[in-house]
Amino acid sequence: MKIAPGPRRATARATLTIGLILLAMQFLAIVFAPWIAPYSPVDANPINALQEPSLKHLFGTDVSGMDIFSRVVFATRINLLISVTAVAIAFAIGVPIGLAIGYYKGWISSLAMRIFDFVQSFPVFVLGMVLVSVMGQEIWNVAIVLAVLFTPVFARLIRAEVLSLRDRPFIAAARCSGATDQTIMFKHILPNALTPAIVQISISIGMAILLTAGLSFVGAGVRMPTPEWGLMVSNGAQHMILGIWWVALFPGLAIVFSVLTFALLGDAAKQIFDPQNRSIS
């Protein structure tokens, strides 16, 4: 007899639904940005500088006269492109590394862990600033830097799961049946070790969005006139003391909106994959 889903399961479904709706809204902004945005995101018009929100400019204009609403919409492409690409690269590199160093014990595994310790010993934001400064302030360079920062996270998660699985009875049975190390690793261990890494994807994307915006805010990310939320907040922050609030407010809200989306998805995934919340038959 199957137990009816409890309050935690219902909460997870509601959280997942809200997260997916917010994600769909951002996806629509990415795909249909040229049709949603009424103006070009990079065309400056000093005559229209610092206009308040109105029917003509929904979010107002910035100091260069660029339409903030159009820039916020197009910035969704930039911020999510950087964040999703960075996390995808980190996942693709970190998972195999974590699988290998968790299954094969030895000096290579120890060396890899010490390298991860070294990378993670630096403050993430400071290390990101240094790497971007060295590599150059380009979109793909920012994505690569974030991938370097997140790779140890995925590698450690997978390694911890592999260490807990490699000596289980079903793995011993696979060895006795003549299965090779590659078969054991990719067929028996990896599918059972992926859950924490999958949950971490949404969390890492949210963190990547914040780091991307933070790097641009301090001048170490993408450069003008590229529409990017953190860069827009930086350009508008200096005017807030003069009562010009809209230049920084709307891109700031976009950051909150996007990070909240992936936080909800990550929380829902964590609850759904939690064995305690699964239905028992």
Side-chain angles (χ1 to χ4, degrees), residues 129-141:
M129 288 178 59
V130 173
L131 293 177
V132 171
S133 299
V134 172
M135 298 179 63
Q137 294 176 253
E138 301 294 338
I139 292 176
W140 294 115
N141 288 341

Side-chain angles (χ1 to χ4, degrees), residues 240-251:
M240 293 195 71
I241 194 173
L242 302 176
I244 304 172
W245 49 269
W246 58 89
V247 180
L249 175 63
F250 292 112

Side-chain angles (χ1 to χ4, degrees), residues 95-119:
V95 168
I97 292 177
L99 179 62
I101 63 178
Y103 188 82
Y104 296 109
K105 295 181 179 180
W107 68 270
I108 295 180
S109 177
S110 299
L111 176 62
M113 292 304 297
R114 299 296 76 78
I115 293 175
F116 293 155
D117 290 339
F118 177 76
V119 172

Side-chain angles (χ1 to χ4, degrees), residues 80-99:
L80 290 189
L81 174 65
I82 292 174
S83 303
V84 173
T85 300
V87 174
I89 294 173
F91 183 87
I93 297 175
V95 168
I97 292 177
L99 179 62

Side-chain angles (χ1 to χ4, degrees), residues 14-275:
T15 302
L16 179 62
T17 301
I18 296 172
L20 290 176
I21 292 174
L22 297 180
L23 182 63
M25 294 173 65
Q26 294 177 71
F27 180 76
L28 291 175
I30 292 172
V31 175
F32 298 105
W35 294 273
I36 296 175
Y39 302 95
S40 168
V42 295
D43 287 348
N45 186 358
I47 298 177
N48 295 328
L50 298 178
Q51 291 189 4
E52 295 185 1
S54 62
L55 292 178
K56 184 177 180 181
H57 299 283
L58 294 179
F59 291 174
T61 61
D62 62 14
V63 67
S64 300
M66 292 185 284
D67 182 69
I68 296 175
F69 176 75
S70 300
R71 288 178 61 77
V72 167
V73 171
F74 273 92
T76 308
R77 287 182 170 183
I78 302 298
N79 285 78
L80 290 189
L81 174 65
I82 292 174
S83 303
V84 173
T85 300
V87 174
I89 294 173
F91 183 87
I93 297 175
V95 168
I97 292 177
L99 179 62
I101 63 178
Y103 188 82
Y104 296 109
K105 295 181 179 180
W107 68 270
I108 295 180
S109 177
S110 299
L111 176 62
M113 292 304 297
R114 299 296 76 78
I115 293 175
F116 293 155
D117 290 339
F118 177 76
V119 172
Q120 294 184 303
S121 65
F122 292 93
V124 174
F125 191 74
V126 174
L127 181 59
M129 288 178 59
V130 173
L131 293 177
V132 171
S133 299
V134 172
M135 298 179 63
Q137 294 176 253
E138 301 294 338
I139 292 176
W140 294 115
N141 288 341
V142 175
I144 292 172
V145 167
L146 294 180
V148 171
L149 298 177
F150 285 114
T151 295
V153 176
F154 288 103
R156 285 182 178 277
L157 284 174
I158 294 297
R159 177 180 179 272
E161 290 296 309
V162 172
L163 289 175
S164 69
L165 292 170
R166 67 188 306 275
D167 295 324
R168 295 283 183 89
F170 73 95
I171 299 299
R175 289 195 184 98
C176 293
S177 67
T180 63
D181 287 345
Q182 288 71 26
T183 300
I184 293 174
M185 290 168 63
F186 291 98
K187 184 177 179 180
H188 299 288
I189 293 181
L190 184 59
N192 293 289
L194 275 178
T195 298
I198 293 174
V199 173
Q200 184 64 33
I201 289 175
S202 292
I203 300 172
S204 294
I205 291 176
M207 293 176 61
I209 292 171
L210 286 176
L211 284 172
T212 301
L215 290 172
S216 297
F217 182 85
V218 299
V222 299
R223 295 174 292 186
M224 286 290 288
T226 304
E228 196 281 326
W229 294 328
L231 185 60
M232 295 169 67
V233 172
S234 176
N235 291 335
Q238 55 188 324
H239 300 291
M240 293 195 71
I241 194 173
L242 302 176
I244 304 172
W245 49 269
W246 58 89
V247 180
L249 175 63
F250 292 112
L253 291 177
I255 295 173
V256 173
F257 182 87
S258 189
V259 173
L260 176 63
T261 299
F262 291 100
L264 291 174
L265 292 176
D267 185 64
K270 183 178 180 180
Q271 295 185 57
I272 290 172
F273 285 114
D274 188 347

